[in-house]
Amino acid sequence: MSTPYPFTAVVGQSDLRLALLLNAVSPAVGGVLVRGEKGTAKSTAVRALSALLPQVDVVPGCRFSCAPAAPDPGCPDGPHEGGSGTARPARMVELPVGASEDRLVGALDIERALAEGVKAFEPGLLADAHRGILYVDEVNLLHDHLIDLLLDAAAMGASYVEREGVSVRHAARFLLVGTMNPEEGELRPQLLDRFGLTVEVAASREPAQRVEVVRRRLAYEDDPAAFAGRWAGDEQEVRARVVAARALLPQVRLGDTCLLQIAATCAGFEVDGMRADIVMARTATALAAWAGRTDVRKEDVRRAALLALPHRRRRNPFDAPGLDEDKLDEILDGFPDEEPENEPDPEPEGPDDGGPQDGGPDGGGGGIPPQGGPEAPEAPEAPAPDAAPENAPEAGPESPDSPAPQPASQDGAGREQAAVRAAEPFRTKMLSVPGLGEGASGRRSRARTAHGRTTGAQRPRGQLTKLHLAATVHAAAPHQKARGRTGRGLVVRKDDLRQATREGREGNLVLFVVDASGSMAARQRMGAVKGAVLSLLLDAYQRRDKVGLITFRGSAAELALPPTSSVDAAATRLEQLPTGGRTPLAAGLLKAHEVLRIERLRDPSRRPLLVVVTDGRATSAGSTGSTGSAGAAGGDPRALAGRSARLLQAEGVASVVVDCESGPVRLGLAGVLAADLGGPAVTLDGLRADSLAGLVKNVRTASDTHRRAA
């Protein structure tokens, strides 16, 4: 086993390290969700935490890590006799994104259970993580049903495996830690709420700190054992402090004033439910124990709020996580401080105390750098936030309601056209792709899934997971005499087992193709268009879709956002979308064809839904910028657009056209485009009506049309 990177050698990220250590002191806090960009030591810090946890005593031979002093009475390996245990380090178990349900909760041998009445159970990762850490990297990419199982086990402290009336239960208490990059998609709000604390991490912009990160990482990779040895003293100090804080935790007093502060804070920030209050109380108590105190103070409540509330404030994926600290201080200042009961002054805060040679694990204490290199140069002093460069023109007066400055573009006549804000989003009904898919679990179109209503039975492909009991008995019944059955038991063999086929919902790829040409540049119309797309993006978030955004204007089409699960990234690109220039409709459709072709290779089971937002005009052939599909460089633009649309229809792509044409004279070109695509068209004025959802829901692909004609 390779030597892990030391926890105390992580540079910066004080909030992350404190949140992890508070959960090590009090696992009842409920775990940590770490959000941040790639390359910010999220995984490094989590993996290093296990070395700081105290050893655990386990019953020898128990696969479920039962404690000898208080074994689980329902342990599948029990009952356990009293006696001494065996000490071992606390485990850190990683849950892969692609893990199966059986790998997570364990597998039950259904064949032996039916034929022999034996509960033959193979433990899963939840059993391995009992009394340790369960780490989920990229938790936002985990399938919904796995997240539900994981968080239910974390909340109840036990895991249940049910297979057609045969059940196994075992204890599963662990420190749950998840990491995620928000650019790749968000967790649902109800799942965010199940994590006790959340931390936002980002790479430092200070050159000196970045130098220290590189220096330490290179030293670790050159000689991991020697590097870990230099930090062994600090690791032992933090480990001892965790043990001491755990022992002190039961003595910490949470007074009525602090409880009122917690309740007022949660109410003031309009946090849903009561989980936030409980998590804040536990976190504030752990903070006091970590500081070596037996009383909770106002500063503990404030720090607990900053860790426990930001992710519970989000109402939709377009809200930025965070907490208004001025408002928090205003709420807390309305309460008097509780008098400490003969307690010493608190120690310096958090896990930043001490470090080899430089006075702190951040390497930013100003002493000699830990690897013996030259002293890091001081970072240049940053200008004051309000400072303006010399000779800069003064800004004119601005209305409080004025929109923020937006990028500018040119219309067809070359005039500058500033990007406009989207209108308020509205609720849409479900958009779905016809037919029955087999894509990733979601909430949009019908699909064959591992979860949902049972629609039939089939022989299992691989390991049996969902037994169809009636079909299994029906398959085994004719052979009972030949198999020498005696008594009341049913003789079942492997060939008799039948897997239940289930129908649920899948997530789709919703690809938006948005006309940003000069003919769309009217501020009111473009604002309404953006509002409509924003509404559909919000719907895509709720239904667990991937989304992509293609824009076309001038002489080319651009993939503004490659297909992703991050709808807030799509909303940001949409908000900044400029307009102006000619209308290369064919290029936009060809770009869509190219993107869908590539995505079909990457994820062949995810079905697409194409949403084209345009007035139907085509004034330029344009180019997609790729040699493979940019053949629209010449010829009649409208004819090229028609051929591109019919190409998408021939490949069975479900489509809908949002007609943005306005004015007293309408050419009806969007309707012609919709016919070429084989889908419906809806006017911009009807986007808020139920008709849009009905039209999209009833999209018929070209293959459906061909079947009806046959």
Side-chain angles (χ1 to χ4, degrees):
M1 180 178 177
S2 60
T3 304
Y5 192 92
F7 184 85
T8 51
V10 174
V11 178
Q13 311 297 8
S14 59
D15 285 344
L16 168 60
R17 290 182 291 137
L18 178 61
L20 291 171
L21 288 170
L22 291 177
N23 274 272
V25 171
S26 175
V29 165
V32 186
L33 175 64
V34 187
R35 298 163 44 91
E37 58 196 22
K38 51 190 175 293
T40 49
K42 301 188 297 292
S43 301
T44 299
V46 174
R47 293 189 176 101
L49 178 66
S50 60
L52 302 181
L53 298 182
Q55 288 194 329
V56 295
D57 288 332
V58 298
V59 173
C62 178
R63 297 173 297 168
F64 301 89
S65 302
C66 282
D72 179 13
C75 176
D77 284 355
H80 299 300
E81 301 293 336
S84 61
T86 302
R88 65 160 176 79
R91 292 175 180 158
M92 202 213 52
V93 178
E94 293 195 43
L95 172 61
V97 169
S100 65
E101 180 180 336
D102 284 346
R103 184 71 186 99
L104 176 63
V105 300
L108 191 63
D109 191 330
I110 300 296
E111 184 178 358
R112 291 189 63 191
L114 290 177
E116 305 173 28
V118 175
K119 292 183 180 179
F121 182 69
E122 183 66 29
L125 296 177
L126 291 179
D128 293 341
H130 180 46
R131 304 175 69 197
I133 302 173
L134 182 61
Y135 171 46
V136 189
D137 193 14
E138 305 295 351
V139 64
N140 51 324
L141 303 183
L142 203 63
H143 286 303
D144 282 356
H145 70 281
L146 291 182
I147 294 177
D148 293 338
L149 290 169
L150 179 66
L151 296 180
D152 283 345
M156 296 185 297
S159 174
Y160 294 85
V161 183
E162 301 283 347
R163 294 289 187 272
E164 299 298 335
V166 182
S167 64
V168 171
R169 174 209 166 276
H170 65 83
R173 293 183 295 275
F174 47 81
L175 169 56
L176 176 63
V177 182
T179 57
M180 59 175 282
N181 183 349
E183 295 176 356
E184 297 174 339
E186 288 286 353
L187 282 173
R188 303 195 309 269
Q190 59 267 39
L191 299 182
L192 281 172
D193 186 55
R194 299 295 289 272
F195 284 93
L197 309 180
T198 187
V199 178
E200 295 279 340
V201 297
S204 171
R205 299 298 183 257
E206 290 291 333
Q209 196 171 69
R210 295 174 75 94
V211 166
E212 188 61 29
V213 171
V214 175
R215 180 184 290 132
R216 294 187 188 185
R217 189 69 201 184
L218 293 178
Y220 169 73
E221 291 176 356
D222 287 344
D223 191 342
F227 181 84
R230 286 196 287 272
W231 292 85
D234 297 270
E235 293 282 290
Q236 180 56 40
E237 182 181 337
V238 175
R239 189 180 300 111
R241 190 172 174 185
V242 169
V243 173
R246 280 191 174 187
L248 185 63
L249 188 65
Q251 306 172 36
V252 176
R253 182 182 68 90
L254 183 64
D256 290 342
T257 300
C258 288
L259 283 172
L260 284 172
Q261 291 171 350
I262 291 170
T265 300
C266 293
F269 283 102
E270 300 179 352
V271 177
D272 296 333
M274 294 298 298
R275 184 174 284 119
D277 303 63
I278 297 170
V279 171
M280 274 190 65
R282 289 172 173 165
T283 305
T285 304
L287 279 163
W290 177 252
R293 292 185 271 104
T294 57
D295 69 300
V296 177
R297 301 178 182 175
K298 184 188 294 184
E299 60 264 29
D300 299 325
V301 174
R302 185 182 191 280
R303 194 66 183 271
L306 293 175
L307 292 172
L309 296 188
H311 61 302
R312 295 183 167 90
R313 289 274 299 143
R314 302 192 78 191
R315 292 294 184 268
N316 66 62
F318 310 135
D319 292 339
L323 211 62
D324 185 341
E325 295 193 35
D326 291 336
K327 181 177 179 180
L328 174 61
D329 290 334
E330 181 182 342
I331 293 172
L332 294 179
D333 287 344
F335 294 87
D337 290 315
E338 288 197 356
E339 292 295 329
E341 298 181 352
N342 301 321
E343 293 292 338
D345 290 333
E347 297 181 18
E349 181 185 276
D352 295 334
D353 303 337
Q357 305 181 28
D358 65 346
D362 290 357
I368 301 172
Q371 272 70 55
E375 186 172 336
E378 272 190 28
E381 185 175 345
D386 297 329
E390 292 184 12
N391 303 322
E394 291 187 7
E398 203 172 70
S399 165
D401 298 327
S402 299
Q406 299 289 343
S409 62
Q410 294 185 345
D411 63 8
R415 292 186 296 270
E416 292 292 327
Q417 294 285 317
V420 300
R421 288 193 179 278
E424 282 296 315
F426 52 89
R427 185 176 181 82
T428 65
K429 289 186 179 179
M430 183 170 61
L431 299 83
S432 64
V433 177
L436 193 63
E438 295 182 347
S441 177
R443 297 185 173 186
R444 185 171 298 280
S445 304
R446 293 174 54 223
R448 297 183 185 92
T449 60
H451 298 268
R453 62 186 181 90
T454 301
T455 58
Q458 63 181 13
R459 290 182 183 274
R461 301 173 183 174
Q463 189 175 19
L464 177 70
T465 56
K466 298 291 183 181
L467 178 74
H468 194 297
L469 183 58
T472 299
V473 172
H474 187 270
H479 309 290
Q480 296 305 296
K481 184 176 181 180
R483 293 173 183 174
R485 171 187 169 185
T486 58
R488 301 178 60 183
L490 185 70
V491 181
V492 179
R493 295 182 179 173
K494 190 170 184 178
D495 290 344
D496 302 326
L497 299 178
R498 294 295 182 267
Q499 176 89 26
T501 57
R502 298 172 182 263
E503 183 178 311
R505 294 280 173 178
E506 66 177 359
N508 296 114
L509 167 58
V510 182
L511 182 61
F512 294 93
V513 180
V514 181
D515 185 347
S517 64
S519 63
M520 299 282 290
R523 295 182 64 86
Q524 185 176 2
R525 179 153 48 127
M526 200 61 203
V529 167
K530 287 186 176 182
V533 178
L534 198 64
S535 302
L536 296 175
L537 283 172
L538 181 59
D539 182 72
Y541 163 75
Q542 294 167 341
R543 302 194 186 283
R544 313 298 290 169
D545 293 313
K546 291 178 71 174
V547 296
L549 178 64
I550 292 172
T551 64
F552 58 94
R553 57 184 288 267
S555 61
E558 176 191 3
L559 180 59
L561 182 73
T564 175
S565 297
S566 179
V567 296
D568 53 343
T572 301
R573 302 291 174 88
L574 180 71
E575 190 71 26
Q576 299 171 351
L577 176 65
T579 57
R582 298 175 68 83
T583 312
L585 177 57
L589 297 174
L590 286 172
K591 189 69 174 178
H593 179 270
E594 178 186 350
V595 170
L596 294 178
R597 178 184 61 82
I598 294 172
E599 285 301 307
R600 196 176 297 118
L601 295 174
R602 291 175 177 169
D603 190 356
S605 63
R606 188 180 290 269
R607 297 186 295 164
L609 175 64
L610 184 67
V611 180
V612 184
V613 185
T614 180
D615 58 9
R617 299 187 184 188
T619 60
S620 169
S623 169
T624 61
S626 76
T627 57
S629 58
D636 177 48
R638 196 175 300 174
L640 290 170
R643 287 204 295 270
S644 303
R646 289 190 290 275
L647 176 62
L648 288 163
Q649 181 186 170
E651 296 192 356
V653 177
S655 307
V656 62
V657 176
V658 178
D659 183 0
C660 302
E661 190 174 28
S662 63
V665 179
R666 296 175 181 264
L667 303 178
L669 298 176
V672 175
L673 174 63
D676 288 333
L677 285 168
V682 59
T683 63
L684 189 60
D685 294 336
L687 287 179
R688 292 182 179 272
D690 292 341
S691 58
L692 172 65
L695 283 168
V696 179
K697 186 175 181 180
N698 293 320
V699 167
R700 291 293 181 263
T701 62
S703 58
D704 293 332
T705 305
H706 294 161
R707 279 200 300 271
R708 288 198 301 271

